[in-house]
Amino acid sequence: MNIVDRPDIANNTHAAVLIGAGLTSYFLNENRPKTALIPPVAGGSLLLLSSGIKAGNRNVAHAAVSVTTLLSIMTGVLFSKAVAPSQEAKLKFNPKVRQRRAGVFGLMTLTGLAAAGIYVAGFIQKRKQQQQVPQQAGSQV
């Protein structure tokens, strides 16, 4: 079995990372920022979409790809800001907090890009299989 054949596994893994990383960020920050709850909510949404992805529902798969891609872009931007902070961010966050933020955002970005890559590879594989079926049927005539 190839991971491309099971995009639901990539979806569940990414969802678990979003939930874990978001809740970690929320509870480690004494201010309890509401924005830290965005990844867990998105991760929960992705978990709800998992059965539709496994069943091969195209609309559900496209929704999962959209949510995953959007979050990957958002967390990627936040990761880059944590790695190369502005002067204002350097004053706002101490080095330990910036390092934690970089780790959390980096992990969410990495798993998001991996999941999106697996989704897209699966779409391509299915398209190629669909194109081969008519060609094989035509050559047998």
Side-chain angles (χ1 to χ4, degrees), residues 56-126:
N57 184 321
R58 290 173 124 181
N59 293 331
V60 171
H62 283 96
V65 170
S66 299
V67 169
T68 301
T69 302
L70 179 63
L71 278 169
S72 296
I73 291 168
M74 290 171 45
T75 58
V77 168
L78 292 169
F79 171 71
S80 68
K81 288 182 178 182
V83 171
S86 66
Q87 283 298 79
E88 182 181 324
K90 285 181 182 178
L91 297 173
K92 184 176 179 182
F93 301 111
N94 69 46
K96 185 177 176 182
V97 171
R98 287 196 315 265
Q99 186 176 18
R100 184 185 77 224
R101 289 172 56 89
V104 168
F105 291 132
L107 181 62
M108 288 191 287
T109 302
L110 182 65
T111 59
L113 293 175
I118 290 168
Y119 299 147
V120 171
F123 292 152
I124 292 170
Q125 181 181 19
K126 286 179 184 177

